[in-house]
Amino acid sequence: MRRVLIILVLALGAMLAAVWLGATPGSASLEFAGWRFDSSFGALAILVAIAGFVLIVIDRIWRWITGTPTRIKMWRHARRERHGYAALTRGLVAVAAGDPRSAMREAALADRLLGAPPASLLLSAQAAQLAGDETAARKHLEAMRAAPETEFAALRGLVAIAMREGRDDEALGLARRARELRPDATWVSGALIDLETKAARWDDAALTIDAARRQQMLPAPDADRKRAAALHEAVRGHEAKGDRREAIRAAERAFKLAPDRPEIAATLATLYAKDARARAASSLVEKEWTRHPHPALLDAYRKARPAPDALQWIKQVERLAKLNPAHAYSHTALAEASLAAELWGEAKRHAQAAIDAEGGEPRASLCRLMARIEEESGGDASVARSWLARAADAPGDPAWTCDSCGHPHAEWHAICRRCGAFDKLAWSAPARLAPAFVAIDTTKDQQ
Ligand SMILES: [Zn+2]
């Protein structure tokens, strides 16, 4: 609009100038080498204007001719780029379709045409990973790390490769660098929790879990549970170093985060007992026994209230069992204490009550307890034998069983001893193997 207005103003100006020149009397004459040229001033002015216009047109044509090589170069460059990006797109589609050969071919083409920009490096790395060529993938990812815009994406691939190849220290270093770049990325937090727990860096793991909770990457109950597990496992490290004060601090924090886990309460009570705080230890066990009795709590109670003899110990157990009298673990504790004190009748009565409290089908350990009572009380040997035979087919006893691989553990650990999973141990009976499963296992062993 502005341009049109300017042209209109200029055309109007030229028209007025031509009218004015035509109407104004005046002449011009030019003499050169014996030639003479006479004209009106107006005609001469128009001639000069036309000559100027012709010169401008000639200049434009000249510039167009001399600029042709540059234009051809630019056109070729644009064509290369177009083909390069088309190859990149086809390569990404091939990666998505799981076709490593096409992906690698298109990645090489895109690399050649585009001069290895970050996007084609990413495609090359993905194609190499898809083809299972970890060495090539690492090479491309390392090249990507050099560019600030692709460093974070490269770190993700490098962390995954290092973890797969078991180079956990290197993976941890890379994941920490990734956290510096993007502290809010969920995968970074997940990888760090895995690596820090695997490396038994429990305090670091607890901090990482806490950060994940604050950034809402982990639901609060999950985060609290995991943090409690990390802090609980950290207790072992503090104790090994002889730092009881720090051990108690970690156990108290873990218990506060997960008050429903009797294993943590038992650890804390044991620490109190070792720290000559028997009263705090026994009152903690008593409080927990009312909510969820557990063999670990009974062990802690023995440390908090050591008894000089078996009869004294029965009194302690009775005091504890009274807090949750119907529970199978209360009866089991009383049966075992009575057996140790040679009170056969009491032992048998409580062992039977424990079986009844669990629904009538005795666990293996209760069958063995019954056999021991029969045997040590001098009862019928055949009854003792039948209890032992029954134990062989009885349901397994609860143990710290891994939710991921099913491996049972005698003691609670934050990490499964078999599969390395973090915070997967729960107090439950191991699954009973179906006969078909056993048969498959046997064949495997024979091979
Ligand atoms: Zn496991």
Side-chain angles (χ1 to χ4, degrees):
M1 189 64 198
R2 218 173 128 191
R3 221 170 167 178
V4 173
L5 272 175
I6 291 169
I7 290 168
L8 277 174
V9 168
L10 283 176
L12 192 69
M15 211 169 72
L16 287 174
V19 170
W20 179 73
L21 279 171
T24 312
S27 67
S29 71
L30 197 71
E31 261 188 48
F32 180 72
W35 292 83
R36 188 189 163 91
F37 175 73
D38 285 316
S39 162
S40 72
F41 181 76
L44 185 69
I46 290 167
L47 210 66
V48 169
I50 290 171
F53 180 73
V54 169
L55 275 176
I56 289 171
V57 169
I58 290 170
D59 176 62
R60 285 286 162 97
I61 292 171
W62 177 249
R63 281 191 197 197
W64 186 82
I65 291 167
T66 53
T68 301
T70 316
R71 266 201 315 284
I72 290 174
K73 225 167 140 183
M74 280 168 68
W75 174 76
R76 276 192 180 155
H77 181 74
R79 201 177 60 157
R80 266 177 92 86
E81 242 183 24
R82 214 172 45 244
H83 286 184
Y85 281 111
L88 204 59
T89 309
R90 287 195 302 273
L92 290 171
V93 170
V95 166
D99 175 2
R101 274 175 64 179
S102 305
M104 283 180 93
R105 194 182 58 235
E106 299 298 347
L109 183 63
D111 247 17
R112 194 159 51 76
L113 292 171
L114 298 172
S120 87
L121 279 173
L122 177 64
L123 173 60
S124 301
Q126 284 190 331
Q129 266 178 327
L130 197 61
D133 187 350
E134 301 259 273
T135 316
R138 273 186 81 180
K139 197 186 85 192
H140 294 304
L141 291 168
E142 287 292 353
M144 275 171 72
R145 260 193 90 179
E149 66 267 35
T150 46
E151 186 185 357
F152 184 71
L155 285 168
R156 184 172 194 175
L158 287 169
V159 166
I161 292 176
M163 282 174 85
R164 263 201 303 280
E165 292 178 353
R167 285 175 284 109
D168 289 343
D169 281 350
E170 186 191 326
L172 186 58
L174 292 165
R176 284 183 171 165
R177 169 68 187 146
R179 176 167 60 188
E180 280 171 25
L181 296 173
R182 291 269 305 275
D184 58 337
T186 310
W187 75 261
V188 176
S189 165
L192 278 170
I193 293 170
D194 270 6
L195 290 163
E196 284 168 346
T197 51
K198 235 171 150 184
R201 293 171 182 262
W202 299 111
D203 293 326
D204 291 343
L207 288 174
T208 305
I209 295 163
D210 194 33
R213 178 195 204 271
R214 274 187 279 110
Q215 284 169 327
Q216 295 178 337
M217 288 185 275
L218 266 180
D222 249 29
D224 286 350
R225 205 193 132 82
K226 284 182 190 299
R227 223 173 119 213
L231 287 165
H232 185 198
E233 189 62 64
V235 168
R236 282 199 180 97
H238 296 311
E239 276 211 288
K241 278 189 262 170
D243 191 347
R244 184 167 299 147
R245 184 190 289 254
E246 201 47 47
I248 290 177
R249 223 168 70 89
E252 282 176 340
R253 281 163 66 206
F255 182 60
K256 204 169 161 193
L257 287 165
D260 58 333
R261 294 176 76 159
E263 73 274 21
I264 298 178
T267 299
L268 181 57
T270 306
L271 285 169
Y272 283 155
K274 283 183 189 168
D275 203 39
R277 289 156 72 183
R279 218 190 161 104
S282 54
S283 78
L284 176 61
V285 172
E286 284 162 8
K287 199 175 122 213
E288 292 308 302
W289 196 269
T290 55
R291 299 199 299 147
H292 36 226
H294 192 278
L297 286 169
L298 186 68
D299 286 345
Y301 203 58
R302 196 189 287 270
K303 283 167 192 137
R305 303 175 76 97
D309 55 51
L311 283 171
Q312 285 294 316
W313 176 237
I314 287 191
K315 287 208 174 76
Q316 312 282 28
V317 176
E318 275 172 348
R319 179 189 159 111
L320 189 66
K322 227 183 265 171
L323 298 167
N324 203 333
H327 200 280
Y329 284 152
S330 291
H331 286 300
T332 310
L334 283 167
E336 279 170 350
S338 304
L339 177 63
E342 300 182 351
L343 301 174
W344 320 118
E346 277 298 282
K348 205 168 175 175
R349 188 170 70 78
H350 283 298
Q352 188 54 54
I355 292 170
D356 295 343
E358 286 193 349
E361 192 187 1
R363 286 179 277 120
S365 67
L366 283 174
C367 294
R368 286 194 297 272
L369 182 63
M370 283 300 238
R372 270 182 64 202
I373 296 167
E374 284 297 335
E375 205 178 284
E376 290 179 28
S377 66
D380 191 340
S382 65
V383 176
R385 275 201 302 279
S386 78
W387 274 114
L388 281 178
R390 213 169 152 183
D393 294 327
D397 286 289
W400 293 108
T401 309
C402 175
D403 271 353
S404 293
C405 71
H407 185 67
H409 301 66
E411 264 193 327
W412 180 87
H413 295 279
I415 294 279
C416 170
R417 289 288 192 257
R418 181 195 272 172
C419 72
F422 169 60
D423 190 32
K424 288 288 176 193
L425 266 54
W427 184 251
S428 61
R432 293 173 92 170
L433 301 182
F437 188 77
V438 176
I440 290 165
D441 255 4
T442 319
T443 335
K444 250 188 187 170
D445 286 345
Q446 284 168 349
Q447 278 170 353

